[in-house]
Amino acid sequence: MRFARVVLGLLLALAGLLITIAGAVAAFWLVGPDDTVDTGEHRLTGKGLAVMTAPDLLDRHGPTLHVTATSAKPVFVGIGQDLDVASYLASSQYSRVVRLSLPPKFETQEMTGGLRPLTPPAGLDWWTVKASGAGKQSISWPIADGAYDVVAMNADGTPGTEVGLTLGVQLAGLFGTCLLIFGAGLVLLVVGLMLLFFRRRRPPVPLPAVAVVKPLPEFVTASASSGPSSPSNHAPSNHAPAYQSPTYKGPARRVAGTAVLLLVATGCVAVPVKNTSASTSRPAVTVADGQAVVARYNELNNQANQARDPKRSEAIEGNPTLAMTRAGYQISRITDPAGKNLIKPFTYVKPKIGAPQFSSYPMRFVVDSGVSNDPNSRQLGVWQRQNAGTPWVLTHSVYPASTMPLPPLEGLRIPAQADMDKLSTLPQAAAANLAVYLTGGARSPKSALFTPSPGMVNLLNQRVKERTADVAQSYIANATDTFHPAGDPVTFITSAGEGLVFLTVTEQYLQLIEPGSNAYWTSGEVTAFSRMVKYTQTLHRDYLHQIALVIPLKGHGRIRVLSMDGQLVGAGGS
């Protein structure tokens, strides 16, 4: 029995010693009271524009991730969805961290690409969390389920990255778990030592009991006895039990079992959950970020309007809106060289954001705003970001009357084929039919497909008056007005299943000159494109129109034109 006790004590002491050392190292060196274990700082150097972790490196969620970046230059560190980070770095050279091995070591892969400076990352709104500046920059983020990347780079977006990177994971209760492991190891160690060195003193062996036999009384007869007399018949029946060696089998099992359960329970609590989300899409923008985009537009657009500078507009507008702005500035500079009739400052107020889900770039969102200097109209616009490194720009912009009912923007989504199949007509067909309607006027057979906006009706009536007046001129033989679709319609599906469509059409107003005559412009907006140039065959004015319309579901009525807004963009002749 002593041999078994020594072997058991030795095993428990050895196991306890190892567990105690492991718990102490984990609690007081690797983890600490902040429940965080980190990789220590690793210097990563590359010619590229960034250091980025592969999306499968953060394959668990739940704990808090701490990232610290240091550099001699101002440094940026951020965490973003792989959808955005991959687009941002798509054509650039950068270093990709593909594995983190133990002892802590970053294994990297160099991704080929260009070295053109990127848009400074701090100004982009899609980062989940970010920090930028000189010296050490740190961020913390509760790791979410999905594909996310950590990025460290120069704050100005230039190549030549040299950064010290530290990754740490904070697991709730990790320090306490390590202390419990440390304590469990101590218990096992103490029990093992007790089994090895503690000897229990034997109790003294009791003397055998002496039976005292009294003589039978003389009056007892032999018939009272049940059998022949025997010494065993008179011995006491409660002999003292023999001595047994003490055993520690039961208590040892209980201690070992408790320690194992404790380790298993605390260990399971500390293990992060494996990622399960397969989603690779996100809303184009948050409501707050969408409103910030509109606020930035308000500021820069007023500056561009005052300077009549299309270069400033390029930072906030894209075609077709940018083309219309450029033409408007050109007309203004020619017709008002002194700058007395500049556009008064205005803003888009109380913007409502409709942000569909996107899984790739370009991304778009829709805004319905009031107009500060025109209470009778609203602005309905589409903002687009071509890739993750470009700014949001206003591409489509119309001004429906404030009395015009607009579709709700909540639940706006990009169309699937099933959505398109339910519409009364496809957006491309709607654009073509609308161009036919505009060219033919109110008598066009395609007019029955549409409910026009007030602005569209006014335009058609104005063109009829202009043609009548032009033909009355002696030098004008005839006048025609022709519309054509331009570009692809931009389509969204509303929560009711209808199609909210933004499209562009071009218009050419053509005047045929009588033989032997000539004509030219001497005043007006057309002189911004052609002034005092004599033409003998034709004159033409070119317009660009933006239109927003709603295509209903099949069997639910006509296509509703919400607004039609145009701009003269050219003039000439032959």
Side-chain angles (χ1 to χ4, degrees):
M1 295 302 296
R2 175 172 173 76
F3 176 75
R5 185 184 67 195
V6 170
V7 171
L8 179 59
L10 183 62
L11 292 176
L12 289 177
L14 180 60
L17 179 61
L18 294 177
I19 293 174
T20 301
I21 294 174
V25 170
F28 304 113
W29 184 44
L30 295 178
V31 181
D34 59 355
D35 293 329
T36 301
V37 56
D38 64 52
T39 62
E41 183 177 291
H42 290 258
R43 302 299 299 181
L44 299 175
T45 303
K47 296 180 180 179
L49 290 121
V51 174
M52 162 193 164
T53 61
D56 56 355
L57 201 63
L58 300 178
D59 62 349
R60 293 180 180 271
H61 63 279
T64 299
L65 178 66
H66 299 278
V67 184
T68 299
T70 59
S71 177
K73 303 178 182 178
V75 66
F76 170 88
V77 59
I79 298 172
Q81 285 188 257
D82 184 64
L83 164 65
D84 301 299
V85 175
S87 174
Y88 181 55
L89 299 175
S91 58
S92 301
Q93 179 179 337
Y94 63 94
S95 301
R96 188 174 188 178
V97 180
V98 295
R99 185 178 302 169
L100 178 59
S101 56
L102 295 176
K105 179 183 178 182
F106 292 145
E107 297 183 21
T108 61
Q109 176 184 8
E110 292 301 315
M111 310 300 291
T112 59
L115 293 175
R116 183 178 179 179
L118 296 171
T119 302
L124 302 173
D125 57 14
W126 45 260
W127 296 103
T128 304
V129 60
K130 62 185 177 181
S132 182
K136 180 185 294 186
Q137 297 296 318
S138 298
I139 56 175
S140 298
W141 173 60
I143 304 175
D145 191 359
Y148 289 86
D149 306 322
V150 179
V151 177
M153 59 187 295
N154 294 331
D156 57 1
T158 56
T161 305
E162 185 174 353
V163 62
L165 192 63
T166 303
L167 300 180
V169 177
Q170 181 180 357
L171 294 165
L174 182 58
F175 180 65
T177 299
C178 295
L179 290 179
L180 289 174
I181 293 173
F182 174 70
L186 285 178
V187 171
L188 292 177
L189 179 60
V190 171
V191 171
L193 293 176
M194 290 177 64
L195 288 175
L196 283 172
F197 299 109
F198 178 75
R199 294 184 179 181
R200 181 175 179 179
R201 297 180 60 185
R202 288 177 176 269
V205 179
L207 296 175
V210 179
V212 179
V213 180
K214 296 182 180 180
L216 292 173
E218 293 181 357
F219 57 83
V220 176
T221 61
S223 60
S225 174
S226 61
S229 175
S230 172
S232 61
N233 291 105
H234 303 286
S237 61
N238 55 342
H239 294 289
Y243 173 75
Q244 296 179 353
S245 300
T247 176
Y248 296 91
K249 185 175 181 182
R253 267 189 187 170
R254 287 195 295 271
V255 171
T258 302
V260 170
L261 289 175
L262 182 63
L263 295 178
V264 171
T266 55
C268 288
V269 169
V271 174
V273 181
K274 190 78 173 179
N275 286 349
T276 58
S277 175
S279 175
T280 57
S281 65
R282 66 168 179 83
V285 72
T286 65
V287 172
D289 287 339
Q291 292 172 341
V293 169
V294 176
R296 176 175 179 268
Y297 178 88
N298 288 336
E299 177 183 358
L300 298 183
N301 181 57
N302 283 323
Q303 294 176 7
N305 288 340
Q306 296 304 301
R308 294 189 292 210
D309 182 4
K311 285 292 184 182
R312 297 189 185 186
S313 296
E314 290 174 2
I316 53 174
E317 291 182 350
N319 289 328
T321 297
L322 179 60
M324 296 172 72
T325 296
R326 285 171 172 162
Y329 288 164
Q330 182 173 342
I331 292 171
S332 178
R333 288 194 298 269
I334 296 298
T335 59
D336 180 34
K340 296 181 179 180
N341 299 317
L342 295 178
I343 300 174
K344 294 181 179 180
F346 70 94
T347 58
Y348 298 143
V349 296
K350 298 181 180 179
K352 300 177 183 177
I353 309 297
Q357 292 274 136
F358 283 89
S359 57
S360 63
Y361 284 87
M363 293 187 180
R364 299 183 179 97
F365 69 95
V366 180
V367 177
D368 170 18
S369 302
V371 183
S372 62
N373 63 350
D374 187 1
N376 296 320
S377 67
R378 301 189 61 79
Q379 190 265 355
L380 188 63
V382 177
W383 264 263
Q384 175 176 301
R385 170 175 271 164
Q386 189 63 30
N387 59 61
T390 55
W392 287 106
V393 294
L394 179 63
T395 57
H396 296 75
S397 181
V398 295
Y399 294 84
S402 58
T403 55
M404 175 68 69
L406 302 180
L409 299 186
E410 295 81 6
L412 207 64
R413 64 182 187 271
I414 57 176
Q417 186 58 50
D419 296 313
M420 303 295 274
D421 293 341
K422 296 176 182 179
L423 297 179
S424 62
T425 186
L426 294 177
Q428 292 85 349
N433 290 332
L434 181 61
V436 173
Y437 173 20
L438 291 169
T439 300
R443 296 181 180 181
S444 169
K446 298 298 183 181
S447 63
L449 301 176
F450 297 88
T451 300
S453 67
M456 179 176 165
V457 173
N458 291 338
L459 174 67
L460 293 177
N461 292 336
Q462 179 183 347
R463 292 295 187 259
V464 170
K465 293 178 180 179
E466 289 180 353
R467 285 199 301 270
T468 302
D470 287 343
V471 172
Q473 299 292 330
S474 59
Y475 61 91
I476 300 297
N478 195 11
T480 61
D481 195 22
T482 309
F483 292 79
H484 295 282
D488 296 324
V490 176
T491 305
F492 304 90
I493 302 298
T494 69
S495 57
E498 296 180 316
L500 174 60
V501 181
F502 295 83
L503 55 89
T504 307
V505 297
T506 61
E507 176 193 6
Q508 185 175 75
Y509 187 86
L510 184 65
Q511 298 165 308
L512 300 178
I513 301 174
E514 287 282 3
S517 300
N518 58 59
Y520 53 91
W521 287 292
T522 60
S523 63
E525 294 183 347
V526 288
T527 58
F529 307 100
S530 177
R531 179 180 175 85
M532 303 300 291
V533 178
K534 295 182 179 181
Y535 301 103
T536 59
Q537 298 181 23
T538 63
L539 292 173
H540 63 83
R541 304 198 308 262
D542 303 317
Y543 296 87
L544 195 60
H545 297 275
Q546 294 194 57
I547 303 170
L549 49 82
V550 175
I551 300 178
L553 297 171
K554 291 178 179 178
H556 285 72
R558 298 181 176 187
I559 300 171
R560 294 185 290 116
V561 178
L562 302 178
S563 184
M564 179 174 181
D565 299 86
Q567 170 66 53
L568 178 69
V569 295
S574 60

